[in-house]
Amino acid sequence: MPAFVVSSLAAGLLLAAASSATATTFTGSGAITTDYVWRGTTQTQGDPAVQAGFKVTADNGLYGAIWGSNVEFAPETKASSEIDVTVGWGGTLSEDWALDVNLTHYRYPSTTVDLDWTETIGTLTWKQNYWAQLGYSTEALAAAEAGAYAQLGARMPLSEQVRLEAAAGYYWLRPRLRRQLRTCTAGRTIIGDACTSSSH
């Protein structure tokens, strides 16, 4: 899905939020990490990453967000940055359960090949510390094939500043893409038709 479609959806959702909600919250985030790891694979070939994001949330649960990071894929892709545009809804279903559903567009503006793709993601959370997530895309990992991803996770707060967190995920992919994903060894990642090769 083209970025302008997602951006238009974001604008539409925010306009709807503004017309039906009485309050809007603006939040931002920033981080410097030793390695950008996404779904178990490095996106920077083990190098540090600088990341920042901005989110607008209405009191009815509608939100729009943009997030960015540096990346490093296979040299021929010339990928150096990632920008994620997300629109969605999040809210509580009961005292213990919460739900978030969103559409996320992953964009790599510096590449010489088309690595952009879009995914629909739903996350169900219990007691704020346990979650189940399911993602689906008709262009999974920037390939021209559909795929789905599931994740189960848990976090254990040790204090207000420290917590332990673990998650396990699984991809359902078409045979060709699944075979290609298996050829990427631990610590590497696949996007489009490119399996990154570390120079370290």
Side-chain angles (χ1 to χ4, degrees):
M1 180 179 293
F4 76 88
V5 175
V6 180
S7 300
S8 299
L9 285 173
L13 279 175
L14 293 178
L15 286 174
S19 63
S20 61
T22 58
T24 302
T25 303
F26 298 85
T27 57
S29 64
I32 299 176
T33 178
T34 57
D35 187 9
Y36 171 19
V37 177
W38 181 78
R39 294 182 180 174
T41 56
T42 179
Q43 306 295 288
T44 52
Q45 298 194 32
D47 289 337
V50 178
Q51 304 170 339
F54 179 74
K55 185 177 183 180
V56 181
T57 307
D59 62 357
N60 59 9
L62 293 173
Y63 67 86
I66 185 168
W67 180 90
S69 176
N70 60 289
V71 298
E72 184 180 354
F73 297 151
E76 62 269 19
T77 69
K78 300 188 183 301
S80 62
S81 60
E82 172 187 341
I83 298 175
D84 300 347
V85 180
T86 302
V87 293
W89 176 89
T92 58
L93 302 178
S94 68
E95 183 178 351
D96 293 332
W97 293 92
L99 178 67
D100 183 283
V101 290
N102 68 70
L103 185 69
T104 297
H105 180 72
Y106 307 96
R107 188 165 186 82
Y108 303 88
S110 60
T111 60
T112 56
V113 294
D114 185 11
L115 301 179
D116 303 343
W117 63 292
T118 303
E119 185 177 37
T120 303
I121 305 170
T123 305
L124 184 65
T125 305
W126 182 61
K127 291 185 177 294
Q128 299 183 347
N129 290 323
Y130 308 91
W131 69 90
Q133 183 182 89
L134 181 64
Y136 176 80
S137 176
T138 58
E139 48 185 0
L141 301 173
E145 300 178 7
Y149 175 80
Q151 182 185 96
L152 294 175
R155 62 176 64 93
M156 178 184 298
L158 301 180
S159 68
E160 291 185 359
Q161 293 79 29
V162 180
R163 72 187 183 201
L164 297 178
E165 188 169 309
Y170 183 83
Y171 263 113
W172 286 272
L173 301 169
R174 297 289 178 86
R176 184 191 69 83
L177 189 56
R178 186 167 59 247
R179 287 193 299 270
Q180 187 176 355
L181 184 62
R182 287 172 178 168
T183 66
C184 290
T185 60
R188 299 183 179 182
T189 188
I190 181 176
I191 188 162
D193 291 323
C195 178
T196 65
S197 54
S198 176
S199 58
H200 301 290

